[in-house]
Amino acid sequence: MRPGLWPGRTPHKALALTETTAARVSLPRSFLALWRDLRFLQALAQVAFLVLLFAAGRWLVGNLLTNLEARGLDLSFSFLNRTAGFRVADEALSMGRTDTFRFAFLVGLVNSLQVVVLGLVLTTGLGAVAGVALLSSNWLLRTIFRTYVEIMRNTPLLVQLFFLYFAIILKLPSLENRLSLGPLALSNRGLFIPAILPQAGAGAWLLFGLAGVVLAVVTYRRLLGLRISQGRETHPTLWAALPLLALPWLGWVILPGRPLSLGIPRLEGLNMAGGTRLSPEFAGILLGLVIYTAAFLADIVRAGILAVPHGQRDAALATGLSRGQTLRLVVLPQALRVIIPPTTNQYLNLAKNSSLAIGVGYPDLYAVSQTIFNQSGQAVQMIALMMGTYLLLSLLISVAMNALNARLRIVDR
Amino acid sequence: MLRKTVLPLAFAALLGLVLVLGACQPVEPEVREVRVVETQQVEVVQTQQVNVPVSFVMESARLQTVKDRGNVRCGVNQSVPGFGFLSEGTFTGFDIDFCRALAVAIFNDAAAAEFRPLTAAERFTALQTNEVDVLIRNTTWTFSRDVELGTDFGPTTFYDGQGMMVRRDSGFSSLDDMGGATVCVLAGTTTELNLADAFTSRGLAYEPLVFETGDETVAAYNEGRCDGLTSDKSQLAGLRTQTTTPADHMILPDTMSKEPLGPVWAQGDQQWGDIVRWVVNGMIIAEEKGITSENVEAMVASPPADPEVSRLLGLEGEFGNLLGLTPDFMVNVIREVGNYGEIYARHLGPEGTDIPREGSLNALWITGGLLYAPPWR
């Protein structure tokens, strides 16, 4: 830009070049120019932001410490060693009245992890099936799944949970009028299934099973190698299945006594005894999360499949692959690259949404933490601990999904 | 890769820190200032108390503040039928009437009572920060609340205790029959601890099912998910009316805990405490002596021979003046609000939430209960 053209608006950089103008304009001009200098303004904004952030942080910390001091509280975590005095209902870890707050927190964590881990597995399955079904050429199937996805995606999760738990699960018949199907029993006290109880010979039988697995793997690899090197059909899967099934059967027959027995649930007093129970609360939160999250996943899977160029499918079909093989071997592996990043978000949502479990009475991490801070009065520590735990859980899921994403990336050659 | 992991991590940590700090409610600097001033005044009052003999009439700083403001602020419950319940803009209940009695004692005007609905978690903070003058909100008198929280407890107005509601056709007649039962509990109170103690001491197994709100708890109980619902008996009576058919449910006679409920005020102003304490005591004595809102004026006109009645009604002695109130403040209280028995009948009697009083701890001491006011002399 030429300085002479814009006498009133000359940028200061240009001013420095022409000595005469610089002398004439001097102080007020350069001052004016400074606050119009973009670089200066950007630096100023950054400094101002940092100062504000620091001041806000200082104020918050100061406020926290003043309030804690005023109430005679400190930030130590030693209260976790105190006796909890209450019980948390759970199947995995049994908690007594005299256990500590720390143990109660652990029980809550295990309860949450059960929901999250099982939820992730089931969501992935249902989401994948629903995603493929959304693209089905069958009108009925496609419409059913489209309706499911739209209803679930567009209503709040908490409302769905309440509906599922109070209007469906708790409306099941009572324990006295339970629905029985052979050894299975369904009531509003839970789903009761036979328990597998290991007996005296269970260890030895397990060894038979292990040997079967090892033999199966060895057979499969050997036969697969033969097929690749010699080009003749050796049926590796068929032969590998033989030891996998035969050895445990042999063990079952030759070992004295039965290694496993079934515990059949039966009514004893107010409860069912002898079986395994899936509690209504666990079922409520698990199914609620799975059905909700899988609806989001379904559309992600659908989009991922559509993102694979159509030519890939045509080419695969042209080489003689069946429709199933095309989907499994050609389309899905490529679609996964598109599917995985948004899926990570949905997995994280599922993990975090598991904290809604208290709404249906399931004692998860959040519910137990709330009880602990109500009983101990140590709200700051408990909220920090709870947030730290959820943060850790989410980061673990992120790291795992990022690793998977990195593995599936197209390798540049 | 490093950038990818570290940046979100750092951001998450920062966000976490800000949220944790934000979780602690800031206290208005204004309020804190008031508290400091009051503490200083209280210290002066205490010094005077040591130096000056009994005849000296103390001035309550709180009473002066209340008189200047023109109303008494009470922290109350708004969702417990019978005790403190807000419907169509009006507070009604047993606790509410004690606050009205306090307003009448000071201002001779029941409308001078201002109600602040408080949650269980907020109530002590509201008292500590002087947001309310007195807390009359189903608050149990315990050691740690009395000593650790800087609060003082007045005379017990209702002897409550944790109970168990069950279905009539369940066959349970006491807690001892409930081995292996599933019990619905409302989260966040001492209820869970008392339940654990009650079942452990009886050597019985049980399964707790904890819900966050009363509605969810009742809904799960209604659907038969649990065999019993536990809460304070005062609240159970209210919850029973929310079940589909209240007549099908009953409250077991067992009491799992002692829950003496009464008014609470901030420690440090003894004379304010005296006012609250003696208004409540006066209402209990009034019932004992048979003084009701109906006959109180007649009694003032022609006092009975009982000298305690004359003293209570301000016809003898200087009791009102000693508290910094008018001599006839109890006459006003009884006329406007009623005696203890009248309040009980109004809110907790058969027309209210129906908590039987006959033979319970809440009967007068002369009929075998625990309600016993010290003499008015």
Side-chain angles (χ1 to χ4, degrees), chain A residues 87 97 171 188 271 281, chain B residues 180 197 206-207 223 225 227:
Chain A
R87 264 202 60 209
R97 201 192 65 84
K171 294 285 182 200
N188 67 0
N271 284 317
E281 291 72 37
Chain B
D197 288 352
Y206 75 105
E207 190 184 324
E223 299 294 348
R225 173 63 187 93
D227 304 298

Side-chain angles (χ1 to χ4, degrees), chain B residues 2-24:
Chain B
L2 185 76
R3 250 176 92 88
K4 250 186 186 169
T5 354
V6 168
L7 264 182
L9 207 115
F11 183 68
L14 184 73
L15 196 73
L17 188 72
V18 170
L19 280 175
V20 167
L21 299 176
C24 207

Side-chain angles (χ1 to χ4, degrees), chain A residues 65-75 378, chain B residues 128 148-149:
Chain A
L65 293 179
T66 321
N67 279 316
L68 286 176
E69 202 180 356
R71 282 163 185 71
L73 302 171
D74 60 22
L75 282 178
Q378 313 284 340
Chain B
Q128 287 160 346
E148 200 181 351
L149 292 178

